[in-house]
Amino acid sequence: MEGDDEVLRALFRRRDAGSRAGNRTDGHRIALVVGGGGMRGAYAGGMVWALEQAGLTAGFDVAYGASAGAFVATAALLGHGHDASRIFPDDMARPAFVDPRRLGRAPMVSLDHLIHHVLVHVKPTDWDALRDSPAPLKVMVTDVDDMTPHVLEGLPTAADWRLAMRATAAIPFLTGPPVELHGRRWVDGSIADPLPVARALHDGATHVLALLTRTLPELRRTAPANPWWARGLDRLVPGLGAMTQDVWRYAESLTLLSDAAHPGRGDSHLQAIAPQHSAGIRGLTTDPVRVERASHLGHAAAVAALRRVDPGISFGPDEYSSPGRSTPP
């Protein structure tokens, strides 16, 4: 499942050559694909922090993200890896963001708090820099009318980017109504395409690094495809039942990542980083201790993957907090 280390090797080569998006010479198109999952995004946040510490995030040509994965992918492109590792335990696993007591009178999950407070005052995001980034962000969303996946990209204003981020994280019933943008109504991107590896390949990626927000045993457990109760939820609140079906929704992407002979891969190099242990969290977990553990586990998984390629890489005595140093692979 870990796949082809050539993906990380290509990122190391770009780092050592000082390569920058928009001015590449190696002929590759390296895509970062970040899975969603609400608070499970803490795993991916820790992974991005390790990649940034190692100086590798400038090596991506494009980033894809669904739901929480879109926020983590944004951090990767903007050089906010440490914020990505901290935002889930520090700012999101809190009643101001998730509070079941609000259900029925206000959104249980407050995207207003996240987008207009946390990402403005606590961990600021420069949306104009995202607009101008030579490595584009592709935000996965789901059309609420037919539950098909779509991409929001190349948006002209900071306000549009904020709407796109709200749309990709809009959990049916729990965050309020669908988000309207460009004449359509959108909900959480992970409903229709939680890990857009196939889309990255279709768009021309030669290398794909996928960050998974569940352990492999969690993703591979035996479960019925779209059971009756999930279909019933979908009839009541379109998309809500599908969000509960992690195994079913990830199956196609996992097959693509794990089968080297998959016809959809062509000559591309694919690699996945997954947490090796579970922190026991779910999409709406509000225990900051467990959510922080998920961030540490994600960071540790990325460090282990990096050390397979560069055994001499060092992150200092406190790997999670210290800047990375590396010897060339």
Side-chain angles (χ1 to χ4, degrees), residues 10 12 23 27 41 138 140 173 187 196 205-206 222 230 242 258 276 282 285 307 319 321 326:
F12 273 112
N23 190 30
K138 296 178 182 281
M140 299 305 303
F173 180 64
V187 290
T206 60
T222 302
S258 60
Q276 297 176 2
R282 297 182 179 273
T285 295
R307 284 190 171 136
E319 295 186 334
S321 302
S326 176

Side-chain angles (χ1 to χ4, degrees), residues 49-278:
W49 174 222
L51 293 170
E52 184 175 301
Q53 287 175 300
L56 302 185
T57 50
F60 294 111
D61 297 298
V62 60
Y64 297 76
S67 189
F71 291 86
V72 174
T74 298
L77 293 181
L78 296 183
H80 296 172
H82 187 259
D83 284 352
S85 73
R86 298 304 317 172
I87 191 171
F88 293 93
D90 291 352
D91 307 295
M92 295 173 65
R94 307 289 172 177
F97 180 59
V98 179
D99 191 343
R101 295 172 299 182
R102 292 197 295 261
L103 193 62
R105 56 183 179 84
M108 174 181 162
V109 180
S110 177
L111 295 179
D112 279 340
H113 175 72
L114 175 61
I115 293 171
H116 297 295
H117 176 69
V118 175
L119 295 179
V120 172
H121 302 293
V122 184
K123 294 178 174 62
T125 295
D126 186 347
W127 301 109
D128 290 330
L130 186 63
R131 178 198 63 202
D132 299 332
S133 171
L137 174 69
K138 296 178 182 281
V139 178
M140 299 305 303
V141 290
T142 301
D143 188 321
V144 73
D145 294 322
D146 59 12
M147 291 293 126
T148 55
H150 295 265
V151 172
L152 297 176
E153 59 181 312
L155 302 173
T157 69
D160 283 342
W161 278 112
R162 286 191 290 269
L163 280 174
M165 302 307 284
R166 177 185 287 272
T168 193
I171 305 171
F173 180 64
L174 300 182
T175 63
V179 176
E180 294 189 17
L181 180 62
H182 296 167
R184 303 175 80 166
R185 298 183 305 147
W186 310 108
V187 290
D188 195 299
S190 66
I191 294 172
D193 195 353
L195 193 68
V197 175
R199 185 175 292 271
L201 293 176
H202 181 268
D203 291 347
T206 60
H207 299 64
V208 177
L209 180 64
L211 306 184
L212 307 185
T213 58
R214 294 158 178 79
T215 65
L216 295 181
E218 287 173 324
L219 287 169
R220 286 173 167 163
R221 69 183 188 276
T222 302
N226 201 17
W228 65 267
W229 57 267
R231 296 195 300 272
L233 273 179
D234 279 333
R235 282 193 291 270
L236 291 173
V237 182
L240 189 58
M243 291 193 72
T244 67
Q245 301 302 293
D246 294 341
V247 174
W248 174 60
R249 290 184 299 124
Y250 274 84
E252 181 180 352
S253 295
L254 290 179
T255 300
L256 188 58
L257 285 166
S258 60
D259 182 2
H262 194 290
R265 290 174 62 134
D267 296 327
S268 297
H269 301 277
L270 276 64
Q271 185 167 15
I273 300 177
Q276 297 176 2
H277 305 282
S278 172

